[in-house]
mmCIF file of all heavy atoms in Angstrom:
data_model
loop_
_atom_site.group_PDB
_atom_site.id
_atom_site.type_symbol
_atom_site.label_atom_id
_atom_site.label_comp_id
_atom_site.label_asym_id
_atom_site.label_seq_id
_atom_site.Cartn_x
_atom_site.Cartn_y
_atom_site.Cartn_z
ATOM 1 N N LEU I 1 142.540 55.176 135.942
ATOM 2 C CA LEU I 1 141.375 54.931 136.764
ATOM 3 C C LEU I 1 140.187 55.764 136.213
ATOM 4 O O LEU I 1 139.072 55.299 136.087
ATOM 5 C CB LEU I 1 141.640 55.291 138.210
ATOM 6 C CG LEU I 1 140.487 55.225 139.182
ATOM 7 C CD1 LEU I 1 139.867 53.876 139.264
ATOM 8 C CD2 LEU I 1 140.842 55.693 140.612
ATOM 9 N N LEU I 2 140.437 57.009 135.890
ATOM 10 C CA LEU I 2 139.380 57.877 135.330
ATOM 11 C C LEU I 2 138.898 57.317 133.985
ATOM 12 O O LEU I 2 137.703 57.305 133.683
ATOM 13 C CB LEU I 2 139.912 59.311 135.172
ATOM 14 C CG LEU I 2 140.264 60.015 136.438
ATOM 15 C CD1 LEU I 2 140.974 61.309 136.198
ATOM 16 C CD2 LEU I 2 139.024 60.190 137.321
ATOM 17 N N ASP I 3 139.859 56.845 133.174
ATOM 18 C CA ASP I 3 139.430 56.183 131.874
ATOM 19 C C ASP I 3 138.583 55.011 132.163
ATOM 20 O O ASP I 3 137.625 54.744 131.456
ATOM 21 C CB ASP I 3 140.707 55.793 131.062
ATOM 22 C CG ASP I 3 141.388 57.041 130.481
ATOM 23 O OD1 ASP I 3 140.764 58.152 130.332
ATOM 24 O OD2 ASP I 3 142.590 56.931 130.065
ATOM 25 N N ARG I 4 138.970 54.150 133.190
ATOM 26 C CA ARG I 4 138.205 52.963 133.444
ATOM 27 C C ARG I 4 136.786 53.392 133.893
ATOM 28 O O ARG I 4 135.840 52.681 133.532
ATOM 29 C CB ARG I 4 138.963 52.109 134.474
ATOM 30 C CG ARG I 4 138.349 50.840 134.669
ATOM 31 C CD ARG I 4 139.240 49.822 135.498
ATOM 32 N NE ARG I 4 139.460 50.346 136.812
ATOM 33 C CZ ARG I 4 140.650 50.630 137.341
ATOM 34 N NH1 ARG I 4 141.742 50.460 136.531
ATOM 35 N NH2 ARG I 4 140.783 51.040 138.580
ATOM 36 N N LEU I 5 136.669 54.349 134.744
ATOM 37 C CA LEU I 5 135.346 54.800 135.202
ATOM 38 C C LEU I 5 134.505 55.218 133.978
ATOM 39 O O LEU I 5 133.248 54.879 133.892
ATOM 40 C CB LEU I 5 135.539 55.958 136.187
ATOM 41 C CG LEU I 5 136.040 55.676 137.562
ATOM 42 C CD1 LEU I 5 136.298 56.895 138.278
ATOM 43 C CD2 LEU I 5 135.089 54.689 138.282
ATOM 44 N N ARG I 6 135.061 55.983 133.142
ATOM 45 C CA ARG I 6 134.273 56.380 131.836
ATOM 46 C C ARG I 6 133.871 55.149 131.129
ATOM 47 O O ARG I 6 132.775 55.081 130.585
ATOM 48 C CB ARG I 6 135.114 57.321 130.996
ATOM 49 C CG ARG I 6 134.474 57.846 129.772
ATOM 50 C CD ARG I 6 135.235 58.957 129.065
ATOM 51 N NE ARG I 6 136.533 58.600 128.676
ATOM 52 C CZ ARG I 6 137.574 59.340 129.177
ATOM 53 N NH1 ARG I 6 137.305 60.372 129.936
ATOM 54 N NH2 ARG I 6 138.779 59.041 128.836
ATOM 55 N N ALA I 7 134.772 54.167 130.875
ATOM 56 C CA ALA I 7 134.488 53.011 130.094
ATOM 57 C C ALA I 7 133.312 52.159 130.891
ATOM 58 O O ALA I 7 132.410 51.711 130.127
ATOM 59 C CB ALA I 7 135.688 52.108 129.964
ATOM 60 N N GLU I 8 133.362 52.169 132.193
ATOM 61 C CA GLU I 8 132.239 51.485 132.928
ATOM 62 C C GLU I 8 130.911 52.181 132.614
ATOM 63 O O GLU I 8 129.914 51.456 132.501
ATOM 64 C CB GLU I 8 132.555 51.535 134.411
ATOM 65 C CG GLU I 8 133.686 50.518 134.788
ATOM 66 C CD GLU I 8 134.165 50.657 136.200
ATOM 67 O OE1 GLU I 8 133.559 51.469 136.976
ATOM 68 O OE2 GLU I 8 135.167 49.959 136.560
ATOM 69 N N ARG I 9 130.899 53.533 132.616
ATOM 70 C CA ARG I 9 129.613 54.167 132.312
ATOM 71 C C ARG I 9 129.134 53.807 131.007
ATOM 72 O O ARG I 9 127.920 53.762 130.738
ATOM 73 C CB ARG I 9 129.832 55.730 132.552
ATOM 74 C CG ARG I 9 129.673 56.233 133.988
ATOM 75 C CD ARG I 9 129.492 57.696 134.031
ATOM 76 N NE ARG I 9 130.555 58.394 133.252
ATOM 77 C CZ ARG I 9 131.812 58.551 133.664
ATOM 78 N NH1 ARG I 9 132.176 57.987 134.776
ATOM 79 N NH2 ARG I 9 132.601 59.225 132.966
ATOM 80 N N ARG I 10 130.013 53.840 130.040
ATOM 81 C CA ARG I 10 129.660 53.452 128.671
ATOM 82 C C ARG I 10 129.150 52.079 128.501
ATOM 83 O O ARG I 10 128.223 51.811 127.735
ATOM 84 C CB ARG I 10 130.788 53.742 127.626
ATOM 85 C CG ARG I 10 131.112 55.130 127.419
ATOM 86 C CD ARG I 10 132.227 55.337 126.414
ATOM 87 N NE ARG I 10 132.561 56.704 126.270
ATOM 88 C CZ ARG I 10 133.735 57.122 125.802
ATOM 89 N NH1 ARG I 10 134.703 56.271 125.584
ATOM 90 N NH2 ARG I 10 133.961 58.419 125.642
ATOM 91 N N ALA I 11 129.805 51.158 129.232
ATOM 92 C CA ALA I 11 129.444 49.775 129.089
ATOM 93 C C ALA I 11 128.204 49.320 129.879
ATOM 94 O O ALA I 11 127.602 48.299 129.568
ATOM 95 C CB ALA I 11 130.633 48.899 129.567
ATOM 96 N N ASP I 12 127.717 50.114 130.805
ATOM 97 C CA ASP I 12 126.587 49.822 131.608
ATOM 98 C C ASP I 12 125.314 50.225 130.848
ATOM 99 O O ASP I 12 125.009 51.329 130.659
ATOM 100 C CB ASP I 12 126.680 50.587 132.935
ATOM 101 C CG ASP I 12 125.539 50.306 133.859
ATOM 102 O OD1 ASP I 12 124.635 49.479 133.526
ATOM 103 O OD2 ASP I 12 125.474 50.881 135.016
ATOM 104 N N PRO I 13 124.538 49.185 130.387
ATOM 105 C CA PRO I 13 123.372 49.483 129.613
ATOM 106 C C PRO I 13 122.276 50.228 130.465
ATOM 107 O O PRO I 13 121.535 50.965 129.854
ATOM 108 C CB PRO I 13 122.798 48.124 129.185
ATOM 109 C CG PRO I 13 123.574 47.125 129.925
ATOM 110 C CD PRO I 13 124.770 47.743 130.519
ATOM 111 N N GLY I 14 122.301 50.087 131.794
ATOM 112 C CA GLY I 14 121.397 50.868 132.612
ATOM 113 C C GLY I 14 121.838 52.298 132.744
ATOM 114 O O GLY I 14 120.992 53.161 133.304
ATOM 115 N N ALA I 15 122.989 52.658 132.183
ATOM 116 C CA ALA I 15 123.382 54.067 132.411
ATOM 117 C C ALA I 15 122.858 54.947 131.262
ATOM 118 O O ALA I 15 122.984 56.153 131.353
ATOM 119 C CB ALA I 15 124.905 54.136 132.271
ATOM 120 N N ALA I 16 122.084 54.296 130.325
ATOM 121 C CA ALA I 16 121.535 55.222 129.221
ATOM 122 C C ALA I 16 120.277 55.827 129.595
ATOM 123 O O ALA I 16 119.307 55.714 128.951
ATOM 124 C CB ALA I 16 121.329 54.268 127.956
ATOM 125 N N HIS I 17 120.366 56.580 130.708
ATOM 126 C CA HIS I 17 119.162 57.280 131.247
ATOM 127 C C HIS I 17 119.268 58.740 130.686
ATOM 128 O O HIS I 17 119.990 58.952 129.694
ATOM 129 C CB HIS I 17 119.188 57.374 132.700
ATOM 130 C CG HIS I 17 118.984 55.925 133.348
ATOM 131 N ND1 HIS I 17 117.952 55.214 133.286
ATOM 132 C CD2 HIS I 17 119.938 55.216 134.053
ATOM 133 C CE1 HIS I 17 118.019 54.057 133.874
ATOM 134 N NE2 HIS I 17 119.298 54.033 134.270
ATOM 135 N N CYS I 18 118.637 59.610 131.299
ATOM 136 C CA CYS I 18 118.666 61.039 130.935
ATOM 137 C C CYS I 18 120.065 61.672 131.238
ATOM 138 O O CYS I 18 120.894 61.128 131.950
ATOM 139 C CB CYS I 18 117.584 61.750 131.556
ATOM 140 S SG CYS I 18 117.739 61.856 133.358
ATOM 141 N N TRP I 19 120.295 62.816 130.759
ATOM 142 C CA TRP I 19 121.517 63.595 130.893
ATOM 143 C C TRP I 19 121.771 63.775 132.410
ATOM 144 O O TRP I 19 122.885 63.719 132.804
ATOM 145 C CB TRP I 19 121.554 64.871 130.149
ATOM 146 C CG TRP I 19 120.507 65.804 130.480
ATOM 147 C CD1 TRP I 19 119.205 66.054 129.978
ATOM 148 C CD2 TRP I 19 120.624 66.896 131.495
ATOM 149 N NE1 TRP I 19 118.669 67.099 130.595
ATOM 150 C CE2 TRP I 19 119.502 67.606 131.512
ATOM 151 C CE3 TRP I 19 121.680 67.226 132.325
ATOM 152 C CZ2 TRP I 19 119.274 68.745 132.433
ATOM 153 C CZ3 TRP I 19 121.536 68.281 133.216
ATOM 154 C CH2 TRP I 19 120.298 69.004 133.231
ATOM 155 N N GLN I 20 120.744 64.009 133.248
ATOM 156 C CA GLN I 20 120.925 64.272 134.606
ATOM 157 C C GLN I 20 121.498 63.055 135.364
ATOM 158 O O GLN I 20 122.458 63.175 136.129
ATOM 159 C CB GLN I 20 119.614 64.676 135.291
ATOM 160 C CG GLN I 20 119.075 66.003 134.935
ATOM 161 C CD GLN I 20 117.957 65.933 133.929
ATOM 162 O OE1 GLN I 20 117.844 65.022 133.094
ATOM 163 N NE2 GLN I 20 116.950 66.781 134.058
ATOM 164 N N ASP I 21 120.954 61.894 135.035
ATOM 165 C CA ASP I 21 121.483 60.654 135.588
ATOM 166 C C ASP I 21 122.951 60.392 135.196
ATOM 167 O O ASP I 21 123.814 60.101 136.123
ATOM 168 C CB ASP I 21 120.620 59.403 135.067
ATOM 169 C CG ASP I 21 119.250 59.459 135.670
ATOM 170 O OD1 ASP I 21 119.043 60.104 136.731
ATOM 171 O OD2 ASP I 21 118.425 58.773 135.145
ATOM 172 N N HIS I 22 123.263 60.631 134.005
ATOM 173 C CA HIS I 22 124.627 60.439 133.627
ATOM 174 C C HIS I 22 125.563 61.436 134.255
ATOM 175 O O HIS I 22 126.623 60.992 134.706
ATOM 176 C CB HIS I 22 124.710 60.734 132.037
ATOM 177 C CG HIS I 22 126.087 60.380 131.479
ATOM 178 N ND1 HIS I 22 126.336 59.182 130.904
ATOM 179 C CD2 HIS I 22 127.189 61.081 131.411
ATOM 180 C CE1 HIS I 22 127.643 59.141 130.509
ATOM 181 N NE2 HIS I 22 128.109 60.330 130.793
ATOM 182 N N LEU I 23 125.230 62.660 134.389
ATOM 183 C CA LEU I 23 126.116 63.603 135.013
ATOM 184 C C LEU I 23 126.204 63.399 136.525
ATOM 185 O O LEU I 23 127.226 63.621 137.150
ATOM 186 C CB LEU I 23 125.715 65.056 134.694
ATOM 187 C CG LEU I 23 125.840 65.456 133.189
ATOM 188 C CD1 LEU I 23 125.402 66.880 132.976
ATOM 189 C CD2 LEU I 23 127.213 65.173 132.694
ATOM 190 N N GLN I 24 125.123 62.894 137.153
ATOM 191 C CA GLN I 24 125.175 62.524 138.587
ATOM 192 C C GLN I 24 126.145 61.420 138.785
ATOM 193 O O GLN I 24 126.941 61.434 139.714
ATOM 194 C CB GLN I 24 123.822 62.174 139.072
ATOM 195 C CG GLN I 24 122.988 63.317 139.331
ATOM 196 C CD GLN I 24 121.560 62.911 139.976
ATOM 197 O OE1 GLN I 24 120.968 61.821 139.700
ATOM 198 N NE2 GLN I 24 121.036 63.801 140.789
ATOM 199 N N ARG I 25 126.129 60.404 137.908
ATOM 200 C CA ARG I 25 127.101 59.281 138.020
ATOM 201 C C ARG I 25 128.464 59.770 137.805
ATOM 202 O O ARG I 25 129.353 59.323 138.518
ATOM 203 C CB ARG I 25 126.719 58.237 136.977
ATOM 204 C CG ARG I 25 125.398 57.458 137.321
ATOM 205 C CD ARG I 25 125.087 56.439 136.431
ATOM 206 N NE ARG I 25 126.035 55.329 136.545
ATOM 207 C CZ ARG I 25 126.285 54.359 135.607
ATOM 208 N NH1 ARG I 25 125.533 54.335 134.512
ATOM 209 N NH2 ARG I 25 127.195 53.474 135.858
ATOM 210 N N LEU I 26 128.664 60.607 136.802
ATOM 211 C CA LEU I 26 130.017 61.201 136.530
ATOM 212 C C LEU I 26 130.489 61.915 137.787
ATOM 213 O O LEU I 26 131.667 61.715 138.256
ATOM 214 C CB LEU I 26 129.968 62.093 135.357
ATOM 215 C CG LEU I 26 131.240 62.944 135.065
ATOM 216 C CD1 LEU I 26 132.471 61.973 134.821
ATOM 217 C CD2 LEU I 26 130.988 63.841 133.860
ATOM 218 N N ALA I 27 129.696 62.745 138.340
ATOM 219 C CA ALA I 27 130.075 63.561 139.493
ATOM 220 C C ALA I 27 130.505 62.642 140.700
ATOM 221 O O ALA I 27 131.500 62.875 141.383
ATOM 222 C CB ALA I 27 128.988 64.550 139.872
ATOM 223 N N HIS I 28 129.656 61.599 140.982
ATOM 224 C CA HIS I 28 129.900 60.766 141.998
ATOM 225 C C HIS I 28 131.151 59.833 141.806
ATOM 226 O O HIS I 28 131.900 59.610 142.700
ATOM 227 C CB HIS I 28 128.702 59.918 142.393
ATOM 228 C CG HIS I 28 127.675 60.737 143.170
ATOM 229 N ND1 HIS I 28 127.831 61.006 144.525
ATOM 230 C CD2 HIS I 28 126.532 61.372 142.719
ATOM 231 C CE1 HIS I 28 126.806 61.797 144.890
ATOM 232 N NE2 HIS I 28 126.016 62.047 143.811
ATOM 233 N N ASP I 29 131.349 59.486 140.491
ATOM 234 C CA ASP I 29 132.637 58.793 140.222
ATOM 235 C C ASP I 29 133.804 59.646 140.462
ATOM 236 O O ASP I 29 134.814 59.178 141.047
ATOM 237 C CB ASP I 29 132.667 58.365 138.717
ATOM 238 C CG ASP I 29 131.743 57.208 138.322
ATOM 239 O OD1 ASP I 29 131.182 56.544 139.210
ATOM 240 O OD2 ASP I 29 131.488 57.023 137.117
ATOM 241 N N LEU I 30 133.754 60.913 140.151
ATOM 242 C CA LEU I 30 134.820 61.826 140.332
ATOM 243 C C LEU I 30 135.026 62.019 141.854
ATOM 244 O O LEU I 30 136.209 62.159 142.308
ATOM 245 C CB LEU I 30 134.619 63.164 139.613
ATOM 246 C CG LEU I 30 134.746 63.073 138.142
ATOM 247 C CD1 LEU I 30 134.324 64.517 137.602
ATOM 248 C CD2 LEU I 30 136.125 62.831 137.676
ATOM 249 N N ARG I 31 134.059 62.127 142.603
ATOM 250 C CA ARG I 31 134.071 62.267 144.025
ATOM 251 C C ARG I 31 134.755 61.049 144.682
ATOM 252 O O ARG I 31 135.627 61.258 145.506
ATOM 253 C CB ARG I 31 132.709 62.511 144.750
ATOM 254 C CG ARG I 31 132.794 62.810 146.176
ATOM 255 C CD ARG I 31 131.474 63.281 146.750
ATOM 256 N NE ARG I 31 131.744 63.685 148.132
ATOM 257 C CZ ARG I 31 131.483 62.913 149.178
ATOM 258 N NH1 ARG I 31 131.062 61.667 149.018
ATOM 259 N NH2 ARG I 31 131.760 63.283 150.398
ATOM 260 N N ARG I 32 134.391 59.837 144.256
ATOM 261 C CA ARG I 32 135.125 58.675 144.778
ATOM 262 C C ARG I 32 136.595 58.688 144.540
ATOM 263 O O ARG I 32 137.429 58.398 145.351
ATOM 264 C CB ARG I 32 134.495 57.397 144.205
ATOM 265 C CG ARG I 32 133.199 56.941 144.834
ATOM 266 C CD ARG I 32 132.814 55.578 144.520
ATOM 267 N NE ARG I 32 132.545 55.392 143.088
ATOM 268 C CZ ARG I 32 131.384 55.733 142.398
ATOM 269 N NH1 ARG I 32 130.489 56.351 143.205
ATOM 270 N NH2 ARG I 32 131.295 55.627 141.165
ATOM 271 N N VAL I 33 136.994 59.148 143.251
ATOM 272 C CA VAL I 33 138.448 59.201 142.976
ATOM 273 C C VAL I 33 139.080 60.303 143.781
ATOM 274 O O VAL I 33 140.151 60.115 144.309
ATOM 275 C CB VAL I 33 138.576 59.556 141.432
ATOM 276 C CG1 VAL I 33 140.000 59.882 141.118
ATOM 277 C CG2 VAL I 33 138.098 58.296 140.660
#
């Protein structure tokens, strides 16, 4: 599941924002898990 979340972040072209956006998404993905 964690690998799939990481792959989804990489595959989402809208995710290529700044480092803060990326880490916020990562943190919220981890919280959901």
